[in-house]
Amino acid sequence: MTGPLLAGFLLGLSLILPIGAQNAFVLRLGLRGEHVLAVCLACAVSDAALILAGVSGFAQLSAQWPWVGTVLLYGGVAFLVAYGARSVRAAFGSAALRPSQTAPESLRRVVLTCLAFTWLNPHVYLDTVVLIGSISTQFDPGKGWFAAGAMTASFAFFFALGFGARLLKPLFARPVTWRILDIAIGIVMWATAARLLLGTGAS
């Protein structure tokens, strides 16, 4: 139980940590203190639904075509390596993120915008449905715990980002903080790729 749960948590966290449009949106609202609970829930529940779809779908798919999981596993490793490289490169070009100074937005508009960042982003399907779904096949019969770990990472990250943003406002106003974070993300993703290649993910 502990192995798949921890592996899912670490993979989910490494995939969600890179600062993109969705995370920057959550961070901005967290720094402003606007509709934080609703936004965090929208992001985390959406991720959980996509992760569940990926794990459930690949369980059926791999039973019919076992080679699909292998092909996508190596595709996932390549993706992790490339994503890690992107994070390290970003470490040398990160800029400070500052909360918007515009007037507060309505709850409906904020939630719809948040959902658009999630469901209209093609990368989210690669991260959750394809990558997490394919890697979950390596943890049979612990796929459920692997998925639970990845979902827990989403909830932990979004709530920490949204509600912790104000406390971190002075720190995250410095570009060096983003550089350190991006480098750490790159290392985690490369380590995950190496672990999969070495075949330790199924142990």
Side-chain angles (χ1 to χ4, degrees), residues 76-114:
V77 168
F79 173 76
L80 287 169
V81 171
Y83 219 70
R86 192 186 76 168
S87 293
V88 172
R89 286 198 304 269
F92 301 97
S94 300
L97 296 177
R98 302 178 185 280
S100 174
Q101 299 300 318
T102 58
E105 299 178 357
S106 67
L107 174 61
R108 180 176 178 274
R109 182 172 181 177
V110 164
V111 171
L112 288 176
T113 302
C114 180

Side-chain angles (χ1 to χ4, degrees), residues 117-142:
F117 274 126
T118 303
W119 294 91
L120 298 182
N121 178 10
H123 289 291
V124 75
Y125 297 97
L126 181 60
D127 288 354
T128 55
V129 178
V130 176
L131 185 60
I132 292 179
S134 63
I135 293 177
S136 71
T137 62
Q138 306 299 308
F139 292 90
D140 191 27

Side-chain angles (χ1 to χ4, degrees), residues 35 49 63 72 89 171 189:
H35 313 300
L72 291 176
R89 286 198 304 269
L171 179 65
M189 301 192 95

